[in-house]
Amino acid sequence: MRPLFINQKYSVIFDEYAEKHYIKDFEKKYKTRWEITRQSIIDTLERLANLVETNYLDVICNSNSSSCLAKFDFKIAKTNVSPKTSGNRCILEICNQKPEVRVLLVYCKDHIDRPTGQETVWWKEIVKNQFGLDCC
């Protein structure tokens, strides 16, 4: 069962960890297209309720009593690759009480330093070590 997200505008915050790590790779690789992409991510996540029926948002688990962790697939602006096949992901902490979406991690599959099939283990370790959020 998918969680219900309130039908109002969420604030979207990129965590400092996300800013300091892989976002720099996106800025360097995609230059002007990254700013358009970033704004598109913000615009989409502000209207989180619209994503419930899509396959671009996967709610993973509750991180505490008032929020959940989710994975959001996105594509780079002006490319013809779908969000799912692009390999570009955001890990989010979503809180309905505020309402707020905190972008904890932005990465592409090239950033994962694990064997194939270890993506979830990789980002869960980062989320636990950097943010103290444990997701079974």
Side-chain angles (χ1 to χ4, degrees):
M1 182 173 160
R2 292 181 182 252
L4 296 174
F5 297 115
I6 56 178
N7 195 17
Q8 77 178 63
K9 195 173 184 178
Y10 283 71
S11 61
V12 178
I13 300 161
F14 282 77
D15 192 89
E16 186 178 333
Y17 182 86
E19 295 286 359
K20 287 184 176 180
H21 289 80
Y22 306 113
I23 286 179
K24 289 181 181 185
D25 290 345
F26 284 101
E27 290 171 335
K28 185 177 179 181
K29 184 174 183 180
Y30 297 108
K31 301 189 183 357
T32 58
R33 289 187 291 162
W34 173 248
E35 281 306 313
I36 297 166
T37 301
R38 182 186 175 108
Q39 189 58 54
S40 176
I41 291 169
I42 293 168
D43 294 345
T44 302
L45 294 177
E46 283 178 339
R47 298 291 179 201
L48 197 60
N50 294 341
L51 288 173
V52 170
E53 297 301 322
T54 72
N55 63 350
Y56 302 128
L57 182 72
D58 298 316
V59 175
I60 308 300
C61 65
N62 291 329
S63 59
N64 61 45
S65 62
S66 64
S67 64
C68 66
L69 292 178
K71 182 170 64 171
F72 172 65
D73 303 313
F74 69 93
K75 72 176 218 152
I76 300 298
K78 301 180 182 179
T79 62
N80 292 327
V81 180
S82 76
K84 275 285 189 198
T85 59
S86 72
N88 300 316
R89 314 275 192 260
C90 295
I91 302 300
L92 313 170
E93 183 180 31
I94 302 167
C95 179
N96 275 336
Q97 287 181 339
K98 292 186 180 178
E100 179 180 275
V101 176
R102 187 166 66 137
V103 180
L104 305 177
L105 186 61
V106 179
Y107 67 94
C108 71
K109 292 213 174 202
D110 293 343
H111 291 126
I112 302 167
D113 60 355
R114 300 281 172 86
T116 303
Q118 295 289 310
E119 176 180 351
T120 302
V121 172
W122 175 80
W123 69 255
K124 280 184 177 182
E125 284 179 7
I126 293 173
V127 167
K128 184 176 183 177
N129 294 336
Q130 295 299 317
F131 305 103
L133 302 172
D134 200 4
C135 191
C136 301

